[in-house]
Amino acid sequence: MGRTPCCDKRGLKKGPWTAEEDEILVNYIKNNNGHGSWRSLPKLAGLLRCGKSCRLRWTNYLRPDIKRGPFTQEEEKLIIQLHGMLGNRWAAIASQLPGRTDNEIKNLWNTHLKKRLLCMGIDPLTHEPFSSNHYPTTKSSPPSPSTRHMAQWESARLEAEARLSRESSVFGPQPHIKANSDFFLRLWNSEVGDSFRKLSKFGEKIECHSSPISQASSSTKCGSVSALTTEVDPNTAGLETTVGSQVEEMEYCKSCKSNGEDFMAVGSDSSSSNDMEDSSDTALQLLLDFPINNDMSFLEENCSDYGAAANHAILSESSFICPL
DNA sequence: AACGGTGTCAACCGCCCAAGG
DNA sequence: GCCTTGGGCGGTTGACACCGT
């Protein structure tokens, strides 16, 4: 059937926006308390641009809440962590970084962060070390990034909900716990989670031969849950340990990793051969496990530093040469 | 100074999806 | 239920800046 063009391109201007055009667009949106219909905006505002172009210019550049300037280390860390969970869902990632646009984050990823991960010997697509391309499930192909991400999300969601449920039933209302330990649920209820729920539907379609979500729920104890624990307030961590055995398991998973053991071995049903149980998720885990206020200097520009840090902390099993 | 290589980022393109008729 | 439309998203492109030779 085909899609009709968003607008009649004839006579419309393309390319970089001038200061005058910017001014017209900003004034129009200000004076009309919003953009209204993007399609009709250019005509009403007197711009020789297509509506899409106006929308893009506004959302990526002219919006008053845009934060310009270089990304901070915190922001970069967050982007890496979110990318590990969400993949190339730039809009969802951007929703967690106030003032940053999806375009900006996408550019940052493609020009900097991707190279840094490559430099560390980590596949930016899967967040796994390149060396761990052995999939114990032999014939089955490696899980797709989206499936893995879904698995982690679902697992984390179930864990968080279960924990909350336990907390509320055992201790009654615990506002401080709620505030501190619900990073995931906040995320889940945000645009990020929303977008992921949509993805999950898609995942069910493409993975109809099995149930990736349920498999994931039972098998990824060491999944993104450990990312949650990094957000737990130390003041409440002890309480959580007494509250839920799952938290203990999470901590155990982390200690396994730090001891260099195959942490997936502690999974409840590690003997099954489904894709979600792939134990080669260490790189992603380590990325996710980095406490948000840890020093991430290993991600800085100097590739030799990455190599050293990665060799030391991440890729103990493999030596690699920084390609850059 | 000229040139080529590389990096950056704003902008465009095409697809997808939800809403509405 | 089908079709059209508008908006949003992710991938890609191309202009420009910078740097080394």
Side-chain angles (χ1 to χ4, degrees):
Chain A
M1 169 160 50
R3 175 108 172 68
T4 55
C6 71
C7 50
D8 185 357
K9 297 261 161 67
R10 281 172 300 179
L12 293 184
K13 199 175 164 215
K14 284 172 69 174
W17 280 64
T18 64
E20 290 76 30
E21 288 176 313
D22 284 347
E23 202 183 335
I24 292 171
L25 181 55
V26 170
N27 286 337
Y28 178 86
I29 291 175
K30 268 187 194 166
N31 295 336
N32 292 277
N33 289 324
H35 56 75
S37 162
W38 284 115
R39 198 180 173 92
S40 55
L41 183 148
K43 204 173 179 180
L44 296 171
L47 283 164
L48 287 173
R49 294 276 183 174
C50 94
K52 242 180 177 182
S53 181
C54 294
R55 181 177 62 80
L56 219 59
R57 183 64 179 169
W58 173 256
T59 54
N60 286 341
Y61 201 82
L62 299 174
R63 237 171 50 197
D65 58 329
I66 296 271
K67 192 204 289 183
R68 309 218 63 88
F71 281 79
T72 64
Q73 269 198 2
E74 296 297 307
E75 287 174 318
E76 292 186 357
K77 278 189 293 185
L78 190 54
I79 291 168
I80 292 171
Q81 289 180 319
L82 288 170
H83 188 272
M85 297 165 82
L86 296 165
N88 293 359
R89 307 176 70 74
W90 308 118
I93 293 172
S95 71
Q96 298 305 307
L97 286 118
R100 299 298 188 181
T101 68
D102 53 351
N103 210 30
E104 211 176 358
I105 292 168
K106 184 169 56 182
N107 282 334
L108 176 76
W109 179 263
N110 287 329
T111 58
H112 290 110
L113 302 182
K114 196 157 90 175
K115 286 174 192 166
R116 289 184 196 175
L117 291 185
L118 285 169
C119 221
M120 294 164 63
I122 294 171
D123 184 350
L125 216 62
T126 61
H127 289 245
E128 289 174 31
F130 284 119
S131 58
S132 67
N133 53 1
H134 57 280
Y135 289 90
T137 51
T138 58
K139 285 177 188 172
S140 63
S141 57
S144 71
S146 63
T147 306
R148 301 172 64 83
H149 298 147
M150 279 189 290
Q152 290 173 342
W153 265 106
E154 185 63 9
S155 174
R157 183 178 67 80
L158 291 170
E159 302 261 10
E161 283 178 351
R163 185 173 63 243
L164 270 188
S165 166
R166 281 195 305 273
E167 283 164 358
S168 61
S169 62
V170 174
F171 293 102
Q174 294 283 337
H176 64 287
I177 294 177
K178 211 177 172 93
N180 290 317
S181 64
D182 285 353
F183 171 73
F184 177 80
L185 286 181
R186 272 188 283 126
L187 209 54
W188 182 257
N189 290 323
S190 72
E191 292 171 47
V192 177
D194 190 51
S195 93
F196 222 84
R197 286 190 287 277
K198 288 176 190 161
L199 176 66
S200 298
K201 281 187 224 156
F202 177 67
E204 282 168 355
K205 280 185 220 161
I206 59 172
E207 300 264 346
C208 55
H209 59 283
S210 63
S211 173
I213 297 298
S214 58
Q215 288 173 353
S217 304
S218 64
S219 63
T220 51
K221 281 206 165 80
C222 299
S224 57
V225 176
S226 53
L228 290 174
T229 62
T230 65
E231 298 295 325
V232 171
D233 186 326
N235 297 327
T236 63
L239 179 57
E240 292 200 356
T241 305
T242 64
V243 166
S245 61
Q246 284 179 314
V247 174
E248 291 165 16
E249 286 176 35
M250 288 185 253
E251 295 300 325
Y252 180 50
C253 289
K254 288 169 80 177
S255 67
C256 285
K257 278 179 289 183
S258 63
N259 291 337
E261 298 169 22
D262 181 358
F263 64 91
M264 287 303 290
V266 302
S268 58
D269 49 358
S270 59
S271 60
S272 92
S273 61
N274 74 56
D275 291 340
M276 291 306 136
E277 293 165 6
D278 174 19
S279 63
S280 59
D281 221 5
T282 49
L284 173 58
Q285 283 312 308
L286 279 156
L287 283 170
L288 292 173
D289 284 350
F290 263 93
I292 202 77
N293 48 5
N294 263 13
D295 178 25
M296 290 277 279
S297 55
F298 74 97
L299 283 173
E300 280 171 352
E301 302 292 333
N302 191 328
C303 276
S304 61
D305 288 344
Y306 306 153
N311 278 330
H312 176 66
I314 293 184
L315 298 173
S316 57
E317 62 175 296
S318 67
S319 59
F320 68 91
I321 298 166
C322 175
L324 299 180

